[in-house]
Each structure stands twice: as C-alpha cells, then as structure tokens.
Amino acid sequence: MAQEEKNGKEIKHLNDVTVMFAGDSGDGMQLTGTQFSDTTAYLGNDLSTLPDYPSEIRAPLGTLYGVSGFQLHFGSSSVFTPGDITDVLVAMNPAALKVNVKNLKQRGIIICNSDAFDAKNLKLAKYDSNPLEDDSLSGYKVFPVPITSLTVEALKDCGLKPKDVTRSKNFFALGLMYWLFNEPLEPTLEWVRKKFSKKVEIICGNEKALKSGYYYGENTELFASRYKIAKATLPKGTYKSISGNEATAIGLIAASKLSGLPLFLGSYPITPATDILHHLSKYKNFGVKTLQAEDEIAGISSAIGASFGGSLAITTTSGPGLALKTEATGLALMLELPLVIVNVQRGGPSTGLPTKTEQSDLLQAMYGRSGESPVAVVAATSPSDCFYMAIEASRLALKYMVPVILLTDGYIANGAEPWKIPHVNELEKIEVTQRTNPENFHPYDRDENLARPWAVPGTPGLEHRIGGLEKENITGAVSHDPENHDLMVRIRAQKIQNMQNTIPELVVDGDQSGELLVLGWGGTMGSIIEAVNDARKKGMNVSRAQLKYINPFPKNLGEVLSKFDKVIVPENNMGQLAKILRDQFLVPVIQFNKMRGLPLKSFEITEKIAEVLGGKND
Amino acid sequence: MAQEEKNGKEIKHLNDVTVMFAGDSGDGMQLTGTQFSDTTAYLGNDLSTLPDYPSEIRAPLGTLYGVSGFQLHFGSSSVFTPGDITDVLVAMNPAALKVNVKNLKQRGIIICNSDAFDAKNLKLAKYDSNPLEDDSLSGYKVFPVPITSLTVEALKDCGLKPKDVTRSKNFFALGLMYWLFNEPLEPTLEWVRKKFSKKVEIICGNEKALKSGYYYGENTELFASRYKIAKATLPKGTYKSISGNEATAIGLIAASKLSGLPLFLGSYPITPATDILHHLSKYKNFGVKTLQAEDEIAGISSAIGASFGGSLAITTTSGPGLALKTEATGLALMLELPLVIVNVQRGGPSTGLPTKTEQSDLLQAMYGRSGESPVAVVAATSPSDCFYMAIEASRLALKYMVPVILLTDGYIANGAEPWKIPHVNELEKIEVTQRTNPENFHPYDRDENLARPWAVPGTPGLEHRIGGLEKENITGAVSHDPENHDLMVRIRAQKIQNMQNTIPELVVDGDQSGELLVLGWGGTMGSIIEAVNDARKKGMNVSRAQLKYINPFPKNLGEVLSKFDKVIVPENNMGQLAKILRDQFLVPVIQFNKMRGLPLKSFEITEKIAEVLGGKND
Amino acid sequence: MTDKIDVEEVKLTTKDFQSNQDVRWCPGCGDYSVLAQVQKVFPTLGIRKEDFVWIAGIGCSSRFPYYMDTYGLHGIHGRAPAIATGLKVARPELSVWVSTGDGDLMSIGGNHFIHACRKNIDLKIILFNNKIYGLTKGQYSPTSEKGKITKSSPYGSIDYPFNPTTLALGSEATFVARTLDRDTKHLQEMIRRAAEHKGVAFLEVYQNCVIFNDGAYSDYTDKETKPDSIIMLEHGEPLIFGKNFDKGVMLNGFNPVVVDLNDGVHSVNDLLVHDEFDESPVRAFIYSHMTDDPKMPTPIGVFRQILKPTYDQGVAAQIHDVTAKKGEGDLEALLFSGNTWEVE
Amino acid sequence: MTDKIDVEEVKLTTKDFQSNQDVRWCPGCGDYSVLAQVQKVFPTLGIRKEDFVWIAGIGCSSRFPYYMDTYGLHGIHGRAPAIATGLKVARPELSVWVSTGDGDLMSIGGNHFIHACRKNIDLKIILFNNKIYGLTKGQYSPTSEKGKITKSSPYGSIDYPFNPTTLALGSEATFVARTLDRDTKHLQEMIRRAAEHKGVAFLEVYQNCVIFNDGAYSDYTDKETKPDSIIMLEHGEPLIFGKNFDKGVMLNGFNPVVVDLNDGVHSVNDLLVHDEFDESPVRAFIYSHMTDDPKMPTPIGVFRQILKPTYDQGVAAQIHDVTAKKGEGDLEALLFSGNTWEVE
Ligand SMILES: Cc1ncc(C[n+]2csc(CCOP(=O)(O)OP(=O)(O)O)c2C)c(N)n1
Ligand SMILES: Cc1ncc(C[n+]2csc(CCOP(=O)(O)OP(=O)(O)O)c2C)c(N)n1
Ligand code: SF4
Ligand code: SF4
Ligand SMILES: [Mg+2]
Ligand SMILES: [Mg+2]
C-alpha cells in the first residue's frame, strides 16, 4: 500500500477494494452501484459485482428484510469475485448497517447516513441503542455523514419536489465515494444528462447531489486519506461492463446471425431469468421473435413448434420453470429437434430463495425427465462467458439436433464484469443445413454425428410426421418393436456422447498432475480462482480446472482426474457434480458444499485446500 | 416328464409351461388369458402373467400392430416370470402367429384358427404364402383347428347375433386349452353365469363354445397327448390372483385403515397407471375420495391440499405425468407434508412406448426436481408386493412428513400372480399424530426423526402458514438467511437418510459373500430369481438381492456390496441404479441393460452370469 | 363452513386475523386495502377462525396468506385453485379462500381456474387484478391492454387481453362479481357476498400497483371521472349512472347501449333492470362485455349468482349414498373378496 | 398460407393428402369421417401441400397427423395449441392445423386453448369431441354429461361439463363453429370455413366413439330425431327447425325460446335471424347455451366469425416497423454499443 499526497490529503494506493452500497429498496442502491462500477471499469480497473436485493418489490422502509445491496470488487490485477468481505460499507440507514456490518472486515470503513439513524429506523432495524453512539462499532472506522440534510440543502434551487430531493441522496453518497477513490464525476454526469435529457430539474438535482458529495469529502476534515487503485493490466481492446443475462441475450442473437437462422424465444417471466426475455424483446430489428407465453410449458412448447419450423429456438427459465419444462424437453429429444434451454439457477427447492444464487439444477438438468432421456448440458463460468456459452449451446443443438440445457446462475446472471468485446469476424460461423432434397429422404436418417435431417415445413416433397412415440430408426415410422427401441435409446445416448469430438478438452491451470486438483463447474469459477491463487501465494501447490461441458464431459476429464492424488469439488449445492464424477469415474472426490444463496467465499475454499493438503498453509 | 394315460390319450406331467394367447384386439385374448390363469391358480399352480396389447384401442383387424397377447407361465414350483419363451401358442389369426412365433421354443405347440388363414389375413400379416401350407413351421408342432366354423356350428341354437357368435370363438380356444391341460371348465362357467346373469343367450353361447372346444380335444385324433402340471407347494392360506395395480389400490386403502386417515387420490388418467384410479374409485364406501383432475399438476396439487387438510394423500401417474408433477413435488417437500406419489413406469422417453414396461424413471424420481430436493423412493418387486409397498410408502410419508415416490412398472402393474392374502390383524398399524395442543407450537419444530408437526386446518389455536419459500427452522417464518438455508437443505436431506433406521436391511439370497452378487431393484425380481436359480442349477455359485428401498438405501447395502468380488446389476434401462450405486459406493458394478419394453429374459441374465463367472456355465 | 356454529364461541375481531408478520407490500399498494377489508369482514361471518384457510400461488397478491392469522398455504405459481380444490374436497366443512393475481390466475393458472369454475367447487377466489406482473417487476399480463409498453414489450404488447369476468362466465362460474380496491365499503360487501355464496365465488378486484402500473384504474376511482366510467350494479335496480344519474343502459336486441335520460325520448322504464339471480348467464355476459367497450361504463358489483350443488358436496353425498347402500367398507372383507382359493 | 399461390402448381387431389400409414382407429370411429372430409377439402383450398402442417397432442384424435401426407407433429398431451402457436408465429405463411380431443384440449390443454383464442393466433383447431377419453379406454372427460358412468366414475361423475363453444367464446375466439361427423357435406363446409378464416378458428366436431361412448350424438344424427334436436345455423336466415320446419327460435329478452310457427300467434318474422358476422359475441353465447338446454335444439354451424388482426401478423408487423425505423440489426454495432472503453 503505497502513499502519496493530494490536496493535503494522503492518498493510499491499494491493490483491490470491495465496496458495499446498501439501503432501502427504494434508495437507488442498484443504480448507485452500477454507476460506480461503470466509472471504475472506465478507469481501467478489473471488477466484479453482486447485486443482492429482497424478493419484495419495495419492502417497507427501514426494515431488515427490505435492505437492498450492491457489492463491488475492483482492483488493479484480475478480479474474479465480488469479494468475500467488504472494505467499505455505505449504509443509508440502520437496517443496511445491521445486515451488512457482519461482512465488513476488521478496521473497515463505514460511511453512513446519520440522518437516518433516528428512533424509528433504529427500532425497525432492531437496534436497542444507536450504534453510532454506543461503542458497538469500535472495531471499524465509522464516518457518520448527514447525507439527507446535506442533499436537501444542496438541491434547494433545482425546483424538485421534496420526494425527489430526498431520493437524490444516493448521488450524494456516490459523489463522496468518487472523491474517496479518486474517481471522476464526468462519466456519471454524462449518463445523467443523456438519460434525463428532457428533465432539467432532475439533471440539476443529480448533478448537485453528486458534486456536493464529492466536495464534502474534499472539504471536511472527516477523512484523513483517499485511495487510489491502479489500472489493471487488461488485454488491449474495447471493453464494456456486461451482466450474465445481457451476455446470454446477445450471445443468442450472435448465434442467430452466425447460423443464419431466425431467433425465436418462447418464455415465461421468472426471477432471475426474466432479464434475458427483456433484453431479447428489445432487438426486434434483428428479426427476434419473443413470445411471452402463458406458462413455462407453453414457452418451451412454442419453441419446439418454432424449431420444427426452422428457427433457432430458445426457451429461458429458472429452476421451478425448468421443472415444468421436463415433459416437453423429453418431447424435443424424441423429436430430435434443436432447442436451447437456458436455466438461470436460483436457490431451491420449490420457490426457495428466488432472488439468490445456487448451483441448484445440475441433477435436474441431467436426469429430470421420464425415460432414458439424455440431453446436452453446458454451463457458463462468468457474466461474459454467458455470451460464448449461449453461442456454444446453439451450435451443439443445431449440429446434433438435440435439446441443450445451458446453466447459468443468479450470481453471474445479475453480476457484471468488464468484457473485452469480440469482433463478429472473430466468432466462428455455425454451419446448418436444412434438407431440401426429396430424394431418398428419411426423417430419422443419420449423419456421421447420428443427427437426423432437419426438413422444415414449406419445403416441397419432404412432408413427414414426427412425434413423441418411439420411432423406427431411419424411416421415422411409429414403432413398438423391442429391438428398435433398444437401439434408439442407445442412439440418443450416443449422439450426446459424440459431442466429445467437438467440444474442447478440459484445461488445467497449474501443474498437470500432482497432489491436488480443485475442480469446479460453472459460476464458481471466480471464487475458485481467487482461492487457488491465494493458496499458491501461501505456498500450497494446487491445480485448478473449471468444467463448462457436463454432458458430455470433455474427453480428457478421466485422464485429468487420474493425474491427481486428491480432487476437491467445491459446489454451491450439496454435491451434484461430485455425484456425476463418482458415477462416471469412480473417484472419491472431496466435496466442499455451501448453500447460502451467495457465491462461495474464496477464503473458505482456501481453508479447505489447506486442510486437504494437511495444514501446509503457512 | 412323467406320463400316464387317460381316455386313451397319453398324459404328460410337466413342471411348468408358458402359454401365449394371441389374436386381434377385439378377439378377447385378455379375457381368455385371465380365465385360464384363474382356473390354473385355482388348481394350485403358481403363475405369472403378462398382458401385451397395442396402444390402439381396436387396431384394424388382422394387422400386425393390432395383435393383442396374453402370456401366462404356470408351474408346480414357484414361478417368478411370465416366461422367457413360450411352449404353447394359441394364434387366432396369421398376424398373431407371425408376431408371436418368434418367441416360441423349438418343437413348441401352435394351435391356430385355420379359418382365419385366408388370403386377406395372410396379406395383412405380410405372409407371402400360407404358413400352414408351406413348411415354414416345420420346427413346431402345428395344430390347425377351424375354430370359427366349429363355433358357429356349436352355437347355432343360442339365438345370438352372428357378430356375437363369432366373438365367442375365444371360448372355444379356451375350452380346448382346458382339455389340453387337464383343467376343469366349472370355474369359468360359474364366472360366465354370474357375469351375464341376465343374458341367457350369452351364457348359452359361452358355455357351448367352451364345451365344444373341450370335447374337440377329447374327440379328435389331432392331439396325441395331454398335459398335467402338478400343484405347486405354496404356503397354506387363502389365495387370489392379483395384478399390481389392483394390489396398489388395495394397499392404499389398507394404509388408510391402518393409519385411521381418510384416503384422497388426485389423479389424471395415464397408461399404465389408470387402473389404480379405476380401482380406488370403486371403494367409495371406504370413504375414499377420488378426484379426476384436469391434469397431472392439478392431480398432485389437489393431493397437497388434501394432505394439508389431514388426509392420506395420493397421486398416481406414469413417466410423462411424473415429469409434470416435479414442481409440485418440490413444493410438497418444502412444505414437509406427507404425500405418496405412485409412478407406474412405462417405456420412455416422451410418449415412448406407452403400453410397454421399462424401469424408466428411477433417475427422474431421485433427481427430477429443482434445487436440493431429496424425496424417499421405494419400489415394488412383483404384483402382490405392490400391496405391501403401497402401505410402506404411506407409512414413511406419514412418519417423516415427506413425499414418497413408489415405483412400480407396466409389467408388474398389469401382470398378475397368486397372492396369499394377509389378514388385517397381521398388518402393522401406522401411528400418526396430528397436533392439537397449541402450547409451544412451532410449525417447523422437529421430532426425533426431524419430522415437523402436522397441524391441520380446523384445529383451534394452531393457525399457521406454510409455503414454498425457504422457511426458518422451528418457527417456519419465511427466511432468506444464508445459514438457515444451508441448515434446512441439510435437514431435509437428513430426514430422508434417517429412514434407514426404520427400513429393513437388504437380505441376500445365497451365500452372504463370494464371487458374484446379482443386484436388482423393483420389478425385475422375478427374472433375476429365475436366472439365478437356473445358474445355480448349472453349478454356478451366485448370490442375489433385490432392492425395494432406493432412497435411502438399506443401511447394510455398502457392507453387502463389499462382500462380493463382482456385482451384476441387471436393469430394464440404461443403468440408472448402477449410476446411483457407483456414486454412493464407488463400486465398479457390471451393468446388464435391455430396453425392449418387455421384462428382462432370465436366460440372458443367466448368460451374463456365466460370462462374468468366466464361462463356468456347464 | 362448519355446519353448526356455536355463536357464543365466535366473538372475533379484526385483530384476530392479523398475523405477526410485517406486511411487505409496497407503500400505497392496493393489496393493503383488500387485506384490511378481509380482516374487517371475517370476524362477522360466523365462521370459526380455525376453519378459514387461505391458499395462494405466487405473486405480490399471493403473499396474502402470510398476513392473515388463519391457516394458510403459499403454494406455487398458478396452482392455488387446484391445491384449494383438494383441500375443500377433503374437508368440505372448511371455508377455503384463494388470493391470486392476474398472472397467477389468468396466465399460468388459467386451466385450474376454469376447471374450478366448471366443477363449482365451493372456493372463494379473489383476483387481485393489477393488469401487470408485480412480483417479477413489471411485465404485461394477460389482462394488460393491447399495446402496453412494459419490460417484456418495449414496443407495445401484441396480445389482446382476457376479461376475467368473461372467462369466468365462459367457464360457468356460479358467482361472478367485481369491485375496486379503493371503494372499501363495496369491497367489504363483495367479500361478504363471496363468503356467503355456496359454490365457486369469483371476485375480481381492480387493484392498483403503484410501482409498475400506477393509475390503471384511476378513471374508476377518481372522484371526477368515476361517475361516468363505472356503473354500480344493484339487484332489482335499473342500470343508471353518471354524475347526475342521468345516464342509463338499455338493451338494443341483446346489445347494451347508453341512453341519456334527459333526452326526452328515454326514461328509467326503458332501462335494463339488474337481476343478480337470473338463471341465464347471458345477462352477466353482456355486463362483462360492457367492460371492454369504451362507449359503455364498466360494471361493478355482483354480475350473477346462481345456486347449484357444489362438487365437494357431490363427492361427500356420493360417499354417503354408496356407504348407505353397501355398508361401511370392511378391509378384511375387501382383501378376501373376489376369486379366492385355499391352499392347504 | 403463402402470399403468392401459383395456381398452376397447385393441382392436388385427395390422394395427395393420404399418408402411407395404415389408419388405426377402431372400425366405425367417427374420426374416419373427419379425416376423409379433410382430405377432400384440402386439395381445393389453393394452398400448397407443403405449406400445411398438422399439430396434435395425445389421444385417438391426436393421431390424425400420421394419416395426413402433410408436415405433422404428434406432440404431448394438451400442448398442441402451444406448439402450433410457436410454429405459426415463427412461420406465419404456413397453414397450421390442430387436431385434438375433448380431454386433450379441454382438460390438460385448457390453458393453451384459451390463450390461443385470446391472442387470436391464426390456427385452425379441430376438436374431436366424443365426450370421453378414448385412448386411455374410457374415462369421463370435461365434456361428459354429469352423472356419467365410466371406469373412473363407477357411481356416476360429479363434474358439470364444459360446453366447448361457451369456453371458446369466453376466451374471445374469433371463429366458433360446430359440426357433426356424420354430416359429411356440412363437415366439409365447416373445414373450408375454418381454413378461410384469418385468425383462430375453433371447430367442434361431434364425433362418435363407437367403443366407449357409442351413440352419444345419435339424437343429432339419427334421421328420426335429428330434425327436432338440432338447428342448422345459416347466415341471414331465421332460426327454423323441426321435421316440418314448423318450429323456430325467438328471443325473449336475451333468452331464446322455441315457438310453434303453426300456433297462429308466431310467424317467421318473430324469429331470430342468424348473423355470423355480428360483432357482439352475445348472440353466439346465446346459441352456445341452447346446447345445454334440453328444451332447445342444439345449434350446428358457424356461431360467429369476426375479423381482427392476428397475433402472428402483429409480431411480424412489429418487427417490420421497428426494423424500418432502426434499420436491420447489425451484430457488430450491437456488440460495441453502450458504455464502452478502450484498454490500450
Ligand atoms: C413456475 C413459476 N413461473 C414463474 C414464476 C415467476 N413469477 C412469480 S409471480 C409471477 C407473476 C406475478 O403476477 P401476478 O400473478 O399478476 O401477481 P402480482 O405480483 O401482480 O400481484 C411470476 C411470473 C414462478 N414463481 N414460478
Ligand atoms: C401427460 C400425459 N397425461 C396423460 C396421458 C394419457 N392420455 C393420453 S390420451 C388421453 C385422453 C384422451 O382423450 P381425448 O383427448 O378426448 O382423445 P380421444 O382419445 O377421445 O380422441 C390421456 C389422458 C398422456 N399421454 N400424457
Ligand atoms: S409491485 Fe405493485 S402489486 Fe406488488 S406490492 Fe408493489 S405496488 Fe403492490
Ligand atoms: S376408442 Fe373411440 S375414439 Fe378411439 S379410435 Fe376407437 S372409436 Fe375412435
Ligand atoms: Mg398482477
Ligand atoms: Mg375424447
């Protein structure tokens, strides 16, 4: 931590910082957090974010369950998680303080809106006495700021309604944070001007609030030091900040363009997947057809209809919705039609924790259908990876004429990270042939991958019938023949297995063999990388790999597993991948499981690594 | 095979025989088979049956896909399967012959209705020439009988319409079979008289047809020998022939009586589970409420409502229906309410082979839900075992306040076997306490099994709310607390695991340790017993066990597995139990899998045993 | 409802129906009013507290059971009518209520809804129609007007909306009514009427979602516009409305038309007279379509109430009859029934 | 339907629509007639063979697609309208047909049905209503009469039935018609009318299941009873029926009543005159309820046909409009849109 001076204030240089903005659901914390992230990213830091909001829309003011938070981790080297513990907590009211102080590091900074610490709010937050006045926060650096009154004072000439004035207090807090971290106001001001171009009072209010916050930091004696985080050394290129759901949506559009097929989405809203529907419905000029269906079953059924019709057909959902789609998924696999099912996992079972994350649905995706019904299962590892895996899921579905389930999760779907944007010409085309030649056409004929031909209605001479009853191989006639059924069950399984020939092998980070491999899948990648990096810093020798292809697994997985004495499998569930690994490879993997609705904490994984390595933690 | 003489005809004594009755869907083959079984059972033979009919209701006459069959295996010692290959084939038309001759043993008997072997029917059956006239059947003993004309002749005075006359030809065939196997006509005649008590012509017709068939055997020179199968040495008691679906229905009624709870069934018709609904809807005077719901989701949802209301609540279905019930099953497990889900497995995936059997849904039952959602899974091993497992499923659901999935399959559901009827006082009572004391009541309180209290609406002072959102342990308040969620996920899993304390240990038949164990589950028991018995006869040393409890497994399963060098797991699927065994015990089990929509063939399992034992087959 | 009510025992107050949970709807949400009115009416119904049950699906409105100190079950999206059906059939003596939203009941739950209506299951279904998906943060619903701009329809929705009362009538519901969250007296009256109906009672509440669809019903609730926008249905009364009670609804063939009572041509005698108990559903169907017609006022009140045996009664009666005929089921006899034989 | 039809090309015959599969319904099943009439009408519609698609659920009637030599998809139980919706929205130029049963469409598929009607998706839905579950061997269905004795209701069913046309009207279907399997000419006419309707076309076929519900419609099809039991709706014609054309249907308020044309009191001028194109759905709703009324004849024919933009057109139009305004989507531009920054 280097130091320097600016305006008489000491400037400390930090490697990385985790900030939590917290307040009532109506306090605009998500917006504040997003603005801070954007500016930070713009400055060249790497970062990772985690919005965390209640399942109520506007929970009553001041309550503990009504607290909405936005966590942000940024730094000068690669950042992989939104941070295990926070360095700086911005708390707009007592409830926000109470809920989030648990996760603040010792000697961490608390900036709070002292105006909100009145008797009523303290009671709602179940504080017996005012924490700003008793010594319960003595382990932290506390900066009480009368944010509400300062904002009211600053905005008095903007002509805003009183309600809108107090609503602007989040911008005061944001301004103060910009000052604290030495960041410019301009990107946010520009955004405000564009967004509210027709509402001068709002522009005035936001600008004044932001600047007051900034100058408050500059001018008061409260803060002895400011912080600066050097630019990260990211690869050259054009970047933007992207959330997983947005990346999925854009990835699907890209797949549509790359394959030359029109995109059809049949979906029913469900947290945390709905944003994909929102995003896709904006892109009508890409020919995207979005159908908000009456339920999940209609969502997938309509996608099956569209797939029969020759579209790149998609359905998006989350756990309980995937459960409703199981019967129709079975139909799609029997019809051997391409279909992409995006499942944004959330805390289960049942309605569970709808706004929280969990790697809840791997087993459902693998096995949750009647009969022998293998489908391809792939997973994205980070917000921007959703873009690539959406393309990849589409490619596999189209090439093998099968349903593919893409698993993301609430954390990577809502979280954001800087993304080095690829150029279209860097993306691989998706080759698709729709059959037009009537000669020798058989609906369940097989190509070298065992895929059947895709002959879409409207094509002369290829009229044929498909359906959910068992089909005779090649001809596609309804068949109850015992041997044919046995054959078809095996063909459908083999088709999925054949994908091993086109999917990439698993890449191990670190030594290619040794004592310990940490093997994760999907959205835990960030936590695992940080944990492994940390363990290495502490002198432990540990390798790492992250699975993105689960059905089938990469070809070399068995070999990789055989090269390590021990394998830890950290999962945000009870050990679903572990089950599949044991089944397929008979290896006694070591499970690490947490079901807290939150990303795994790196330090806990590091501890586990140390434990397994026999306390080699120094 | 001993011999004796009667009426100048030689009588051969056989140990066991497999007969197949086959004809058009409208030929009454199911009835004929059932009558023959009943009489055979009545004579004291052990037996096992397998109806096999097309998924069309009345497929066009004479077609290959329209053939309806009824297979019956009976003998003087224990009979466990409907027979791998048939000894006697009764074929009412060329299609029936063509479809079933494949499965007839060399030198087996064919009795066929020669009247039906006309040009039209031969063409429909895709015969180029008449098999009764060419030498294609020279490997069999063929007895062509002009059944239609003989029936018409015999019935001319009964006053039946011509259509009804020819319809009676199945009774001619039945009579002939009675003669051939030395069985009395009386039981069938009695049944006819009771069933058609008000229709004298029909009684006349059936009686004449039956007797003519019998006397035809007696009087013609066609048959040189008759057969007799000695009584089986079954345990003393009162018996009846029972199918799996009937046994399930009666078992559920028994569970209702044994627990003192009213029975509620919410169901939607689906093959091959519908008969359970049919049976239960007959027993209104047992207070059984059956709701034919609008769909499977409403079926299970209504059962959840009834369970909340204090009933023993049931839903019944088959594969695609189970798929539709997954979301609501997750709700039931989150609500921690008792619920029995009976799934009669059929050939999948999707609509698949709706009238055929398969062990298709084990993985779906285990894992087919969103989130971490363990439920209990049990399976019945034979038609009569459905009775006991229906009681057992109810007992577990009520004791642990969880959903329990009972897996049967199309084969044991439709097949029948003699059942030694238990007396009510031999059945264990099911203890149930519904909470009435308001003191210290907490909806998610835990008893020693971790079950929560069942407090039903209408009980004063216990008003409370339950729901699908995660609940705080003990209090049941909605909770998004991370640690509580982790705890609850583990509690729900532990509750299922705790059942190990009350379920029976796995019993191994044969040596308790050794080179080879054949381990099956559910409805393959009969095939496996026959296979193992056969292997032993051939000098192989092999042990055998059949799982009825799959989640959780019996406590001693791990130990049992460790006692054998090799384990063969025969399944009527791609290896679903094998997956779970490998996952839980890391043992490299040897799979034996067939997906033909039919019960496994014992001889194939025997061959597998021999192969694994290194050709010790003598 | 219990057959015998011990009136002494039932002395309940609003407080008895308030659960210990904080109510978590947005400040200003119309749901608060429904909750308050239910809590006012319930103590007066002569039903034991423990005999009330609320069943819900998923949505803001479906959180209702948590706030009522009765038995309650917060189920899964759309399935509340099916869960409630099972409970009611199993326990016909309970008073079973469903709280649901326009997404929950009209979108994913449509099938269970129409079947509950068809079967005339004695449920009280309260639809909180805010014409939007609240809990999932603002997508259009099957009751949203065509062209609605929401997060999932940024260029305007293409769907035509359902009219919930029309669908209820198409499904043969025996009680169909509509009320407004803001008209607390009327809301109370409709809750009472629903409670008292024996059979499926469908009550649509026009409910304002302040966050995602604020003002959807302001025409019907604002003092200024209300008199000309709605018409209050009163049994036996002619259909009159307007600020000065000078407009009426008359039938032209089977089409309703608005007439001016001051035009010198039309008088009160020309007007349609409301009959809640009309056996024919056509009248109610006409009212229902007035809602969709911008030229007509929107009817509020009881569209129709007819009586026919309920499904749950039917099930119980059949069990009673069969038992009377066959005698109570004897398990031992059942086990040993049919074709049995002895093995010695 | 394709925009441009090259009439030269389209010279189709019945045979062109017969697939190579044996038809596997029971001998005598009413389904045969529907198949035959469809195969007669299809060649005459001016639509290319390859542009027809049949989508079905599960049931005897749902096996229909296998027997038509067009594109076809035999889906899962109840979901045909949803599958068809996706296909039609993706490919509005196709002529998309749904064959379905009373269990498939009215029971498990109820929700998709009412939503397809509501959205006015340009599908042709042919309901084979045999008032029974055929394929699962004879359970009562949602259209079976109350008290029906079947395998799942040995003491008589307790459910009240749906009237499919009522439900369709409650869901705002734009074309609602009914016909009889046995009246082949009328059946052909109705198939043609459904084909020609732009929007959701709901055609109920009274279909006889010879095995499990034989004679369900014999009153309507037997020469003797037919004239007094049904009334053929003809646009612009008064509602007359009876063996001697001596009975008519008159409106009393909004309730239909039967009058005797020979009673000296009533004449043809008193009768309701059919108007297929009446904008108001009330008329059709009245017809629909005549079905349920034992005193009234059962209407056969087109109850209603109105035109409003279809959903699939709407989707296409919106894409067209947005594209016209914004220009065709450019992936490269999309990727690089929003707040971007450079890392050097
Ligand atoms: C199976 C399933 N699908 C989707 C959802 C997501 N979801 C929850 S509530 C809701 C709709 C809410 O709208 P509405 O029923 O109108 O209730 P409101 O919130 O407006 O009161 C949706 C789509 C879910 N919880 N479960
Ligand atoms: C999910 C699911 N549930 C149930 C079934 C069983 N099933 C098949 S067809 C059918 C009903 C058939 O009745 P209907 O739709 O009236 O057709 P019909 O056979 O009478 O023409 C049922 C319940 C199924 N195939 N799938
Ligand atoms: S989002 Fe709307 S409906 Fe939901 S609680 Fe808030 S105001 Fe009420
Ligand atoms: S069962 Fe009935 S509906 Fe089905 S094919 Fe046979 S006659 Fe037709
Ligand atoms: Mg709503
Ligand atoms: Mg039917």
Side-chain angles (χ1 to χ4, degrees), chain B residues 56-59, chain D residues 24-32 59-61 102 128 130 132-138 207-214:
Chain B
E56 288 80 20
I57 302 305
R58 295 273 185 283
Chain D
R24 301 190 184 185
W25 291 308
C26 306
C29 176
D31 293 356
Y32 282 97
C60 296
S61 36
D102 40 317
F128 296 60
N130 54 13
I132 200 82
Y133 285 3
L135 192 68
T136 48
K137 306 201 171 170
Q207 171 248 330
N208 192 36
C209 168
V210 290
I211 304 294
F212 297 112
N213 202 16
D214 198 20

Side-chain angles (χ1 to χ4, degrees), chain A residues 269 296, chain B residues 327, chain C residues 58 60-61 77 101-104 130 132-136:
Chain A
E296 280 84 355
Chain B
E327 192 203 6
Chain C
I58 304 285
C60 294
S61 37
H77 197 32
D102 42 315
D104 197 57
N130 54 13
I132 199 83
Y133 285 3
L135 192 68
T136 47

Side-chain angles (χ1 to χ4, degrees), chain A residues 175-192:
Chain A
L176 181 52
M177 291 296 284
Y178 281 150
W179 176 81
L180 194 64
F181 288 98
N182 241 302
E183 297 194 3
L185 306 184
E186 207 36 50
T188 294
L189 288 175
E190 204 171 296
W191 176 87
V192 167

